[in-house]
Amino acid sequence: MKAVIYARYSSDSQREASIEGQLRECMEYAEKNGITVIANYIDRALTATSDNRPDFQRMIKDSYKRCFDMVIVWKLDRFSRDRYDSAHYKHILKKNGVKVVSAKENISDGPEGIILESMLEGMAEYYSAELSVKVKRGLKENALKAKVNGGQIPFGYYIDENQKLAVDETLAPIVLEAFTMYADGYLIKDIVKRFNEKGVVTKYGKKISYNMVQYMLTNRKYIGEYRYNDIVIPDAVPVIVSKDLFERVRRRMEKNARAPARHKAEDDYLLTTKLFCGRCGAMMVGETGTGRNGVHRYYKCVNAKKHTCGKKAVQKLWIEDLAVRKAMDILHDETVVDYLTERIYELQSDENPRLPRLKEQMAEVENKIQNIIKAIEQGIIFDSTKERLAELEQEKSELDLTIVQEQIKKPFLTKEQIRFGIEKFKQLDISTKEGKQRLIDGFINAIYLYDDKITFTFNYKDGTKTVFLSEVNCPPSGSDLKCLAAPESDIYAK
């Protein structure tokens, strides 16, 4: 087994988990488990709430080379504190045959570990959200003074000594030309072509792109408007474009947006890596096609695409909605919720292997102190007795502090807290893509689609349910896709 280590800390003032400390403990984990570490990826003073981390992205890119099988992190929050980013990049690594493991959080390899990991990621995101409140307070004060709060500086401006936007007299005429051309009937691609022919580049030396011009034409800073979250301050930024010209451009962009155009629909397939063909066992992947009745989205066996399997495709929305319903059924099954609560509670004892040993050391030290006290009470006193008692009291104080620090790092959840965390899944907004995805990822391990039934494997022991399709309908006539439609009746069996 070959692995790489990813280490990160968010600011220079953070010392609790230094890069060196993370690397040391990750190496100890690797040596203990017979894993060969071939490389380290390190991001210093970068937050995990964003995926804009150079070595993190380099690690993801290198995973496509399939030269390592595992990413070891000190704790899961080093990988990401955004659960959606975490799920996205773990999905990429999983496709490349790479697993993410935590050196300090001993999460079970069993299916229950997936739910526990989801809860840990949620706690890490909560910590980041709480921390960001303090940061946002300072950013809001800057915003009220119309100061730059980070982010990309609009083309045509620079930041002056007061941390405010100032007009770049060299680039501002190019901005004005872009607005004028578009208002006069030119297309964005014509503007891009004009600027590239003239050799116009950004301050980073890159060519002007379509997206850049499109963003430029909608940026209200050019008419003097400062905006940060819900704070809007008119006439707080030096003006480059008149309000009349900006309004003419806005009206034309709205008109063009309503014009008929064909765009390939971008859609997220929530069951990617979880849906498998019941005939050949291959993965079923998302497909989009256009028929006489419009755009169709479905899942299709990868071998069927190669014409080596005869499995029919299945409609995307139907199979995804069915998966969501089956996952939600778990949350309304008190027996399953009780079982998950007990299993997660038991797993916690293995999460911090250092804590039990520290408590053993504390018990040993307290026993030695009691023995010395008993000896003193019996009149057995030597010159070294007082010195030894002071040493033990100091050791006890240090152990007590270390135990508290370990408990703060990873608080032990009561059964009530664990049950509350599981129950929170019931409150997910399953009308949104994010809500559906989190529910599916948290509870569904795999789905096998057969010709007459669908078997769901959930993330807990013996968690399997089969849905038999008594009748199979086809989509409305005229569709060029032979897909499974929703069954008229379901029969459930364990």
Side-chain angles (χ1 to χ4, degrees), residues 68-123:
F68 54 89
D69 314 292
M70 181 183 293
V71 174
I72 304 175
V73 294
W74 180 67
K75 296 179 79 172
L76 289 175
D77 63 1
R78 300 300 92 188
F79 186 80
S80 177
R81 278 188 172 147
D82 184 298
R83 62 178 179 269
Y84 301 116
D85 276 353
S86 179
H88 172 68
Y89 287 108
K90 283 182 181 177
H91 169 60
I92 293 175
L93 291 171
K94 184 178 179 181
K95 287 202 301 184
N96 294 335
V98 180
K99 179 182 179 182
V100 179
V101 299
S102 168
K104 300 302 293 180
E105 298 160 323
N106 189 15
I107 298 172
S108 168
D109 287 333
E112 293 91 346
I114 297 176
I115 301 176
L116 178 57
E117 185 173 335
S118 178
M119 292 178 66
L120 288 173
E121 289 172 349
M123 291 172 65

Side-chain angles (χ1 to χ4, degrees), residues 223-234:
I223 58 173
E225 185 177 287
Y226 179 95
R227 182 183 294 269
Y228 180 77
N229 292 341
D230 58 344
I231 299 173
V232 180
I233 307 176

Side-chain angles (χ1 to χ4, degrees), residues 168-187:
D168 186 325
E169 300 297 342
T170 304
L171 301 179
I174 297 172
V175 176
L176 185 58
E177 183 179 358
F179 274 87
T180 304
M181 287 181 65
Y182 192 84
D184 289 344
Y186 286 91
L187 299 175

Side-chain angles (χ1 to χ4, degrees), residues 128-144 149 228-229 231:
S128 292
E130 186 180 32
L131 184 64
S132 71
V133 169
K134 301 175 182 177
V135 175
K136 287 178 180 178
R137 188 179 300 118
L139 294 176
K140 184 176 182 179
E141 291 300 316
N142 282 344
L144 292 172
N149 263 334
Y228 180 77
N229 292 341
I231 299 173

Side-chain angles (χ1 to χ4, degrees), residues 216-280:
M216 181 189 297
L217 296 175
T218 59
N219 195 334
R220 299 184 65 85
K221 284 188 175 70
Y222 293 120
I223 58 173
E225 185 177 287
Y226 179 95
R227 182 183 294 269
Y228 180 77
N229 292 341
D230 58 344
I231 299 173
V232 180
I233 307 176
D235 304 320
V237 179
V239 174
I240 294 179
V241 177
S242 69
K243 293 181 180 179
D244 177 66
L245 177 57
F246 189 91
E247 185 63 21
R248 285 164 55 200
V249 167
R250 185 193 64 79
R251 288 198 299 267
R252 183 162 183 262
M253 291 191 80
E254 285 186 354
K255 181 179 178 181
N256 289 342
R258 291 193 296 268
R262 293 188 61 181
H263 298 283
K264 184 177 181 180
E266 295 182 1
D267 211 346
D268 292 303
Y269 288 81
L270 307 182
L271 300 180
T272 301
T273 74
K274 293 183 180 291
L275 185 61
F276 297 88
C277 174
R279 284 195 180 188
C280 67

